Amino acid sequence: MKHLLKGGLVVGGSGPVRADVLIDGEQVAAVGLNLDNMAQQITDVTGMLLFPGFIDGHTHFDLDVCNTTTADDFYSGSRSALRGGTTTIVDFACPNKGESLRHGLELWHQKAGGKAACDYGFHMTIDDWNPDIRRELPAMFDEGISTFKMYMTYPAMMIGDRDMFSAMEALRDLGGLAGYHCENSGVIDALIAQYLSTGDTGPGAHPLSRPAAAEAEAVSRLLRLAEIAETPVIIVHLSTAAALEEVRAARRRGQTVFVETCPHYLLLQDDVYFQEDYSQAARYVCAPPIREIGNQAALLYGLANGEIQTIATDHCSFTLQQKDAGRGDFTKIPGGLPGVETRGLLAYSLLVGGHVLSVGQLAQVLAENPAKLYGMWPRKGVIAPGSDADIVVYDPKADTVITAEGQESRAGYTPFEGFQTCGSIRSVYLRGSLAVDKGVVLAGSHGKYIHRDCPML
Ligand code: DUC
Ligand code: ZN
């Protein structure tokens, strides 16, 4: 049965176009006008913006952190994603040090398979480097994993400059792309020890122990390694003006650098950590931390002029009860924020509503660019004949207020409680099926694993 979404504005990277969208099964069959006689069902979307299904290239579902497990697994996380207009997520498979990549991949397939309501892929975390891991890499590409992640902090996961450089060279030769968590581990460890030893154990010490310069230093070092390895890189969750300056310097040298940021770095300031009430402050603990005033404007400027390619969430959710584990020692607060349910609304409201980006640019950062960077274009990231019929029907006039009530995420709170939006998501289609209608998730656990090609760089 062919279904026509009629009367809307179809938004692509180059801007909105007045066109109807004919859906045949799971795919878009045609985009244009005068298609009524080809459809058996017509849905009126007059006045609506039709965005390609949003892609969140950075989630952590069902991840063990700090002796606990994220509140959201692939069931609740993917429903949360859909409710926020995200039809595809790319999560991070994380083998433990000493385990094979294959083991990590199988584990993540077990976590997601039969649970996910949205489509999903995996980046592979490289937290160990040896000849066996090197030999495994081509098989990962065969399994649809073309993107990887390395940590420059967290002792359990970081691999150090020598191994990171060797892995970079290997991925370059295979046409892969890695994302990097950039923070200087040594400085952070030293500062944490200092704060704890002086009895400064509350959430306020968290941002102080992870200063902006520790991110900028790691970005600078990463980009120099990438320069030597002659490879493109993506910096994930970039949070500071100083780090963006390092990206500019590398680009002036001729390097290819991609940048991801997150809504919490655009919208929140570090005063969230300096609240009297432990629970109010602890809920914002994540790494990198929410930054001092001034950084937000620099990131908005970076988005407006195309220096930042994508907005993801780093969704890594814990309940307030889980966050309680760090009373008396801020390093025991499990790090991460829920965000996958609110990214689209926040980004539209802040960026389009605030005249920072056009709707076309918003489609780029939420859908088109991650689809290209993560090897899914043009199956995902665009509303065009042959692409998956993943569509967000956005009502630009139906303003609302963000609240945790009614959310699919099990976090039980949102860092953006009370945020007044510009417009809201009316419905979401995943591969042609109505997956969300007026905030209600209708989709079952039918998300598909997306076998991804090499990035389009
Ligand atoms: N940062 C977080 O806050 N949580 C999970 C991983 C990360 O990098
Ligand atoms: Zn992350």
Side-chain angles (χ1 to χ4, degrees):
M1 191 197 56
K2 294 200 181 80
H3 178 194
L4 191 69
L5 300 181
K6 182 176 159 68
L9 279 179
V10 176
V11 186
S14 47
V17 176
R18 173 58 207 101
D20 303 336
V21 181
L22 187 69
I23 299 169
D24 186 5
E26 297 201 336
Q27 265 98 43
V28 174
V31 179
L33 296 174
N34 305 318
L35 300 170
D36 293 25
N37 58 2
M38 297 175 74
Q40 285 79 51
Q41 184 192 346
I42 297 181
T43 300
D44 182 11
V45 290
T46 304
M48 302 292 129
L49 297 166
L50 305 186
F51 285 100
F54 303 144
I55 297 170
D56 190 341
H58 193 150
T59 66
H60 300 281
F61 296 159
D62 201 351
L63 179 70
D64 296 337
V65 177
C66 259
N67 300 319
T68 188
T69 306
T70 52
D72 287 309
D73 62 5
F74 276 84
Y75 178 79
S76 62
S78 63
R79 291 172 65 84
S80 183
L82 276 179
R83 196 161 175 273
T86 291
T87 47
T88 306
I89 57 109
V90 192
D91 203 83
F92 292 85
C94 287
N96 293 316
K97 275 187 195 281
E99 290 172 359
S100 66
L101 301 183
R102 167 77 53 192
H103 178 80
L105 178 59
E106 282 169 4
L107 189 58
W108 251 256
H109 272 303
Q110 276 167 28
K111 287 173 189 261
K115 278 194 173 175
C118 69
D119 286 354
Y120 60 95
F122 305 126
H123 309 285
M124 178 56 66
T125 307
I126 299 179
D127 54 15
D128 214 354
W129 187 248
N130 56 50
D132 289 339
I133 302 271
R134 171 66 187 87
R135 270 192 292 275
E136 274 196 279
L137 285 179
M140 290 298 112
F141 286 77
D142 295 342
E143 298 286 348
I145 312 275
S146 54
T147 50
F148 298 79
K149 164 105 172 260
M150 286 179 253
Y151 288 86
M152 299 176 79
T153 190
Y154 299 134
M157 293 199 275
M158 59 185 281
I159 57 172
D161 291 349
R162 188 187 71 173
D163 289 347
M164 199 168 76
F165 176 71
S166 301
M168 241 179 213
E169 289 190 308
L171 293 176
R172 172 203 63 203
D173 293 346
L174 293 164
L177 179 71
Y180 296 83
H181 179 132
C182 298
E183 286 186 292
N184 181 303
S185 175
V187 167
I188 290 169
D189 287 349
L191 289 174
I192 285 175
Q194 283 172 30
Y195 282 107
L196 290 179
S197 71
T198 56
D200 200 348
T201 57
H206 173 70
L208 302 176
S209 65
R210 310 185 87 95
E215 181 184 62
E217 184 283 328
V219 168
S220 162
R221 181 159 36 99
L222 167 77
L223 293 175
R224 286 299 185 178
L225 299 190
E227 181 187 14
I228 301 165
E230 296 183 43
T231 185
V233 290
I234 176 160
I235 296 162
V236 297
H237 49 50
L238 184 130
S239 66
T240 57
L244 193 54
E245 269 308 323
E246 299 296 340
V247 172
R248 290 187 183 118
R251 286 181 177 149
R252 281 196 296 272
R253 296 195 292 269
Q255 291 181 244
T256 301
V257 186
F258 302 100
V259 177
E260 168 202 283
T261 192
C262 309
H264 43 284
Y265 300 122
L266 298 170
L267 279 155
L268 303 175
Q269 290 165 22
D270 65 350
D271 56 358
V272 294
Y273 297 117
F274 305 116
Q275 309 183 68
E276 280 282 306
D277 183 72
Y278 169 87
S279 159
Q280 284 296 337
R283 68 185 66 193
Y284 296 99
V285 166
C286 61
I290 309 296
R291 296 302 189 179
E292 285 172 302
I293 190 163
N295 290 289
Q296 301 77 20
L299 298 179
L300 290 176
Y301 179 77
L303 277 163
N305 65 21
E307 292 176 297
I308 297 176
Q309 283 67 45
T310 182
I311 301 173
T313 61
D314 199 6
H315 182 99
C316 187
S317 59
F318 299 99
T319 63
L320 297 181
Q321 287 77 6
Q322 288 177 295
K323 294 269 184 188
D324 253 2
R327 281 186 193 272
D329 180 350
F330 69 92
T331 65
K332 299 211 163 51
I333 303 171
L337 304 184
V340 77
E341 199 153 341
T342 49
R343 179 185 60 138
L345 267 181
L346 292 168
Y348 184 94
S349 305
L350 177 70
L351 302 172
V352 176
H355 306 287
V356 176
L357 298 185
S358 66
V359 285
Q361 288 171 312
L362 188 76
Q364 287 173 15
V365 297
L366 294 183
E368 182 174 316
N369 291 346
K372 289 177 176 170
L373 284 169
Y374 300 139
M376 294 183 274
W377 177 272
R379 176 174 177 187
K380 304 287 190 188
V382 60
I383 300 175
S387 64
D388 281 356
D390 299 341
I391 298 168
V392 179
V393 179
Y394 200 93
D395 184 344
K397 297 217 167 86
D399 298 357
T400 184
V401 176
I402 289 181
T403 170
E405 215 180 297
Q407 288 206 340
E408 289 286 338
S409 169
R410 292 181 187 137
Y413 79 99
T414 163
F416 308 102
E417 186 72 37
F419 180 93
Q420 314 244 346
T421 72
C422 295
S424 55
I425 293 168
R426 176 192 277 196
S427 55
V428 180
Y429 291 85
L430 172 66
R431 283 181 280 104
S433 295
L434 185 62
V436 180
D437 190 30
K438 298 184 199 75
V440 178
V441 177
L442 306 173
S445 296
H446 306 306
K448 273 191 185 166
Y449 173 68
I450 304 298
H451 188 287
R452 297 178 298 111
D453 297 327
C454 282
M456 272 176 72
L457 303 177

